[in-house]
Amino acid sequence: MQRIFSGIQPSGVPQLGNYLGALRNWVALQADNECIYCVVDLHAITVWQEPAQLANQTRELAASLIACGIDPKRHILFHQSAVPAHARLAWIFNCVARLGWLNRMTQFKDKAGKDRENVSAGLYVYPNLMAADIHAYHATHVPVGDDQKQHLELANDIAQKFNHDYGVEFFPRIEPLILGVATRVMSLRDGTKKMSKSDPSEQSRINLTDDADTIAQKIRRAKTDPEPLPSEVAGLEGRPEARNLVGIYAALADTDLDGALREHGGKGFGAFKEVLSELLVAKLAPIASETRRLLADPGSVDAVLRDGAARAAAIADPIVAEAERLVGFLKA
Ligand code: TYM
């Protein structure tokens, strides 16, 4: 049995990339692992969040996760700000990680863009907090989409330097679990850009809360090229939008790119988009309606998070207390 940890930001409604790259795998891993899943509100405020919305988004995201199939009774579901151990260990890691390491993080460069002087200091040390999230539980396996790989390598570097500096074998190595065919779902408007909850264009993504008409309309308008679908994977070369839609189909149909093209190669996009929309609606509509049902009783979602936070703290508190003792903090 392995201890799994992963997190998702409540910075908007979860989208199809979150689902295919992460959440579906989170659900599957519950069968034979101990899983700890976290709504990372501390990470969310590294960019501005409206206070009135952040709490709602945290609750709504928790409801979505339960609707996707996360089982908060057999596993742990909680929000990060409710367990202070994360911030305590993150501070220690801020003092372990080197500036040079953080300077190499491509996600920071992408998010900061040209306005580097004006982004929050939190955005810069974001990966240190991520490392703390995982290591506070001595978790060993971390299911994520492809975009988080570099952050997980940094989490290993931090753990290794901590162990080396303090002469211990305290934090274990972690393994990224980047699973499935759709580890990097791209924007529906631009096949070279990642699908993201923070993209200003609603048309760029499918939200897990979209209704059937919205899904069909977004897929109809998704950017494609004029050629029909190829019958072999090599034919997707240089066609990022086609590759993306076939990848989404393959993931939802539990097949691979070859399988999807065997079934649909030669079809025009008009026909393929119809099949894809139907499949999306069949898979996502039940999640949206279950999310709505859960949110009809917000108190019960909050109770799940409260219970999860207490169980999470029971694991993390002694581990982080030991890290603090190793650092030399007085435990009077
Ligand atoms: P976040 O909230 O951006 O995304 C949550 C998960 O969804 C994956 N993902 C995608 N996968 C495929 N295609 C996409 N277009 C796509 N967009 C997002 C992400 O890879 C992620 O797995 N830093 C993390 C949250 C985090 C975390 C952690 C993760 C905080 N602490 C500790 C693992 C362990 C993030 O911003 O995820």
Side-chain angles (χ1 to χ4, degrees), residues 5-11 15-23 26 38 40 43 61 80 86 107 111 126 129-134 142-149 151-152 174 182-187 193-197:
F5 183 96
S6 201
I8 178 168
Q9 296 190 66
S11 48
Q15 39 82 13
L16 184 64
N18 298 131
Y19 181 64
L20 295 180
L23 306 182
W26 293 14
C38 184
V40 293
H43 278 106
L61 182 52
Q80 195 182 24
H86 293 246
Q107 189 152 316
K111 283 202 180 173
Y126 179 114
L129 176 59
M130 236 180 106
D133 295 340
I134 302 162
V142 187
V144 286
D146 180 67
D147 61 333
Q148 297 300 317
K149 200 169 160 199
H151 288 159
L152 298 187
I174 58 171
T183 57
R184 190 174 185 84
V185 177
M186 308 310 276
S187 156
K193 249 173 70 183
K194 199 178 62 170
M195 185 180 285
S196 157
K197 14 177 158 61

Side-chain angles (χ1 to χ4, degrees), residues 19-30:
Y19 181 64
L20 295 180
L23 306 182
R24 243 167 54 122
N25 300 326
W26 293 14
V27 171
L29 286 162
Q30 294 178 123

Side-chain angles (χ1 to χ4, degrees), residues 225 227-240 242-243 246 261:
D225 56 44
E227 302 297 318
L229 285 181
S231 41
E232 282 173 13
V233 178
L236 293 172
E237 195 70 34
R239 300 175 68 187
R243 162 90 185 56
V246 174
L261 291 176

